[in-house]
Amino acid sequence: MSAHVTAPVARPDMEPALAIVWERLQQQFALHQRSAPFWSAYQGLQQDLVRQHPHDHVRLCNAMAGLAERLGAVEHAQLLAGRHAGSTPR
């Protein structure tokens, strides 16, 4: 039995592509927290998302960054260039 157990985070209402990413990010974060294996998994999920949705990649990648922030992987997500580039509000 693990000494450190992370409670599951309730899934926010979201579109199906992001819902799948959200579930996988939660699993990876529970296993690895902020370590390199989490970020490797994050990058793999992001690449899959971009391949599946090439015309909406900026919005989806920014949404993914927000999910990482919601998990506590980062304090303030860094967003890609676009209308709302920058970081999430403090």
Side-chain angles (χ1 to χ4, degrees), residues 3 6 9 13 19 31 35 40 42 44-45 53 58 65 74 81 85 88 90:
T6 303
V9 179
D13 292 331
L31 290 171
S35 68
S40 292
Y42 180 95
L45 290 168
H53 305 278
V58 171
V74 294
T88 57
R90 292 179 183 240

Side-chain angles (χ1 to χ4, degrees), residues 25 28-29 32-42 68 71 73:
L25 282 178
Q28 292 300 313
F29 192 73
H32 306 294
Q33 296 296 301
R34 296 178 181 182
S35 68
F38 170 79
W39 293 109
S40 292
Y42 180 95
L71 284 171

Side-chain angles (χ1 to χ4, degrees), residues 6-65:
T6 303
V9 179
R11 188 180 94 198
D13 292 331
M14 62 183 62
E15 62 193 275
L18 287 172
I20 293 167
V21 168
W22 176 242
E23 295 297 326
R24 292 181 181 162
L25 282 178
Q26 286 182 95
Q27 293 167 356
Q28 292 300 313
F29 192 73
L31 290 171
H32 306 294
Q33 296 296 301
R34 296 178 181 182
S35 68
F38 170 79
W39 293 109
S40 292
Y42 180 95
Q43 289 176 330
L45 290 168
Q46 190 174 57
Q47 289 172 352
D48 290 344
L49 196 60
V50 168
R51 272 194 293 276
Q52 294 167 11
H53 305 278
H55 301 293
D56 203 16
H57 68 278
V58 171
R59 183 184 67 81
L60 291 171
C61 288
N62 285 342
M64 226 181 125

Side-chain angles (χ1 to χ4, degrees), residues 69 75-76 78 87-90:
E69 180 180 292
E75 188 174 330
H76 297 288
Q78 296 297 306
S87 65
T88 57
R90 292 179 183 240

